Amino acid sequence: MEFLPISWRLQGKQALLVGGGEVALRKGRLLHRSGAILKVVAPEVCDELRQIVAEGSGKLLERNFENSDIEQCALVICATDDAAENARIANLAGECNVPVNVVDNPSLGDFIFPAIVDRSPVLISISSSGASPVLARKLRSQLESTLPARWGRLADLMARFRQPLKDKLDNVGARRLFWEQALDSPIVEKVMAGKDSEAEAMLAQAIDAADATSLSRGEVYLVGAGPGDPDLLTFRALRLLQKADVVLYDRLVGQGIVDLARRDAEMVYVGKARDKHALPQDNINELLVHYAKQGKKVCRLKGGDPFIFGRGGEEIDLIVQEGIDFQVVPGITAASGCAAYGGIPLTHRDHAQSVRFVTGHRKDGTVTLDWEHLVSDTETVVFYMGLVGLRQICNQLIAHGRQGETPIALVSRGTTDLQEVITGTLESLPDKIEGREIHAPTLIIVGSVVSLHPKFGWFKKSNE
């Protein structure tokens, strides 16, 4: 992150704007709307900028910039058409410890102007860190079209009731949960429909009925994070992740997904690598109960789907015993996500009429499975956690009747930008990857559907 996004209160503060043309005018409009007092310095100043300065009781100096102009200014905007002069003023501002922006040259300044979606008092700023202002404006236009203008009125309504709620609930956590529930209630629709008086009455009634004990009751969210691509997270998963006070996550959850949690949430890494556990499963189960009994909303964020080789049932079992409220949010399991991104349909009328998910995880150094039921030519078999046991899996399938020429795919870090798909046959694939560095997590797909990968592979060129 090259720039820290902040909201800066400028009401009543003097802002120096050097330049008087169209570029300076655009910055002058924003500064005027923010309540800053403009000091404009330029030999020539356009009429609209003159008017803005007058309306804001600012100062207009129709001459070249002088070093003393920077005194008592909260910030400086360099918007002349002279690059060398802009650089000189920016350097002077730095020496005076005054934040400076150089239009069209962000590398010389301390801050940049984002694209803004204005639903005052709600403001959304969008920045490309100066890399592509056009992209930032494009994103702004998309947000403008989806955010109702009345969101500002909703924020004003909530502001008026902040103190009454604080008088009713002295616990800050309970107040946050109240507002979260209010924003999921019909109150919002009343405001959007222009029925402000009805919304106000409903909000007052809700505050009167608010109960800190029930609001502060702990709850556990068992959330499937999907196979890796943050875009595959469900809306419900995202909403609960951002609601959680505590997030327990493991190595199968990508950083892009972890970063979507609330900034003030407590993040607890419990993650497991093969044969190496940051925390034993029993300890994870106990942690969920521990945090929930403190009245916290706890998100157990799990790669894939929590109920498909995710031990979700074990974690929920203890939660149920302790009488703790919980929700389970399904996620796109690795088999579905990795197969789709690898261009391998798990079922296909001409290849496979069923699919079976099995775990290839070793137990006592062996892969113990019901092999004779995994050799149908019309069924796709997907092995989770099978990389170490790959040779044994292939040998056992062949020994129990599956043809050695059966196609097989090994998908590494599926659905991410680092995805790699290695294909071969039951006979050839173990030797093909011998001595090769394969990155977890991996998934193994066996069946004739794998033969469709060269034709259907769309996400990324595989390494074959």
Side-chain angles (χ1 to χ4, degrees):
M1 186 168 64
E2 186 177 357
F3 292 90
L4 176 67
I6 60 174
S7 295
W8 191 358
R9 187 186 298 277
L10 288 176
Q11 286 94 335
K13 296 180 180 179
Q14 186 165 249
L16 174 61
L17 177 57
V18 185
E22 182 65 29
V23 174
L25 173 61
R26 291 199 297 268
K27 304 306 181 187
R29 288 169 180 156
L30 283 174
L31 292 169
H32 179 61
R33 283 167 56 191
S34 73
I37 299 173
L38 278 175
K39 179 196 282 189
V40 175
V41 180
E44 296 181 10
V45 179
C46 67
D47 291 342
E48 185 178 345
L49 187 53
R50 287 174 179 274
Q51 183 179 350
I52 287 174
V53 173
E55 288 178 358
S57 301
K59 183 181 293 186
L60 181 61
L61 302 174
E62 295 186 78
R63 56 168 172 76
N64 290 324
F65 171 81
E66 297 176 1
N67 291 1
S68 60
D69 292 333
I70 205 169
E71 295 175 1
Q72 298 182 344
C73 290
L75 62 95
V76 177
I77 309 295
C78 302
T80 77
D81 56 6
D82 185 336
E85 179 68 354
N86 286 343
R88 185 183 76 81
I89 298 170
N91 185 63
L92 177 64
E95 293 175 355
C96 297
N97 294 316
V98 178
V100 61
N101 167 265
V102 180
V103 177
D104 292 333
N105 197 342
S107 64
L108 294 179
D110 303 303
F111 66 94
I112 57 178
F113 283 86
I116 297 173
V117 179
D118 189 352
R119 301 290 186 269
S120 293
V122 177
L123 296 174
I124 301 173
S125 62
I126 306 154
S127 171
S128 65
S129 299
S132 178
V134 174
L135 174 59
R137 289 196 294 271
K138 174 68 174 177
L139 293 173
R140 172 196 168 191
S141 67
Q142 292 182 357
L143 287 173
E144 288 278 12
S145 66
T146 59
L147 292 176
R150 293 181 181 272
W151 277 108
R153 297 175 70 168
L154 176 62
D156 286 334
L157 175 64
M158 294 172 67
R160 293 200 304 273
F161 280 87
R162 284 186 67 184
Q163 189 59 48
L165 181 64
K166 190 174 183 178
D167 294 340
K168 181 67 184 290
L169 303 174
D170 59 5
N171 181 280
V172 64
R175 293 198 298 272
R176 177 179 59 79
L177 291 168
F178 173 87
W179 287 123
E180 288 178 351
Q181 291 182 10
L183 289 173
D184 287 330
S185 75
I187 293 172
V188 176
E189 291 306 317
K190 292 294 185 183
V191 175
M192 296 301 112
K195 300 178 180 180
D196 293 1
S197 59
E198 293 182 33
E200 186 169 339
M202 291 172 66
L203 184 54
Q205 185 178 9
I207 290 175
D208 185 59
D211 176 65
T213 301
S214 60
L215 283 168
S216 301
R217 181 177 172 82
E219 188 175 6
V220 173
Y221 313 133
L222 192 60
V223 174
D229 186 346
D231 286 349
L232 297 181
L233 202 66
T234 66
F235 287 126
R236 186 173 186 84
L238 178 61
R239 182 171 64 82
L240 293 181
L241 173 60
Q242 295 181 339
K243 185 177 179 180
D245 303 301
V246 182
V247 179
L248 278 66
Y249 67 101
D250 56 47
R251 71 181 184 94
L252 295 179
V253 181
Q255 191 62 43
I257 295 174
V258 174
D259 289 343
L260 294 173
R262 271 184 21 225
R263 296 296 181 194
D264 61 337
E266 181 178 352
M267 307 301 294
V268 181
Y269 178 70
V270 296
K272 309 168 181 179
R274 187 178 59 246
D275 299 330
K276 297 178 182 178
H277 301 287
L279 281 179
Q281 185 62 51
D282 287 346
N283 288 20
I284 295 174
N285 302 346
E286 291 166 1
L287 265 182
L288 295 173
V289 172
H290 168 75
Y291 283 116
K293 284 191 171 181
Q294 292 181 2
K296 296 181 177 180
K297 309 299 182 184
V298 187
C299 177
R300 174 63 171 111
L301 195 59
K302 305 174 73 69
D305 182 278
F307 279 1
I308 299 180
F309 303 123
R311 290 191 164 181
E314 297 175 39
E315 295 173 351
I316 291 300
D317 189 47
L318 183 59
I319 291 166
V320 170
Q321 291 179 38
E322 296 291 338
I324 296 169
D325 293 337
F326 68 93
Q327 299 181 41
V328 180
V329 181
I332 294 177
T333 188
S336 179
C338 294
Y341 275 53
I344 303 172
L346 294 176
T347 62
H348 188 288
R349 188 165 56 180
D350 298 331
H351 295 268
Q353 288 72 56
S354 62
V355 59
R356 188 182 299 232
F357 300 163
V358 296
T359 176
H361 191 60
R362 297 173 301 155
K363 184 176 183 179
D364 299 327
T366 63
V367 181
T368 54
L369 295 170
D370 188 8
W371 296 109
E372 59 188 31
H373 290 101
L374 301 177
V375 294
S376 171
D377 290 337
T378 62
E379 182 172 74
T380 303
V381 183
V382 181
F383 292 88
Y384 287 67
M385 301 168 286
L387 176 60
V388 172
L390 174 63
R391 187 174 294 277
Q392 185 177 355
I393 289 171
C394 292
N395 290 341
Q396 288 286 1
L397 289 173
I398 293 172
H400 285 82
R402 200 113 195 206
Q403 296 297 313
E405 294 303 312
T406 300
I408 179 173
L410 176 65
V411 184
S412 166
R413 297 186 285 195
T415 78
T416 74
D417 290 338
L418 299 174
Q419 173 177 295
E420 184 178 20
V421 181
I422 307 169
T423 61
T425 66
L426 291 178
E427 290 179 331
S428 69
L429 189 62
D431 290 335
K432 190 173 184 177
I433 69 166
E434 185 71 30
R436 183 170 171 175
E437 185 178 10
I438 306 295
H439 296 276
T442 59
L443 196 81
I444 299 167
I445 305 173
V446 178
S448 66
V449 291
V450 174
S451 66
L452 298 171
H453 161 70
K455 181 180 179 181
F456 292 167
W458 63 272
F459 179 62
K460 197 171 185 181
K461 182 176 174 58
S462 63
N463 188 358
E464 296 182 311

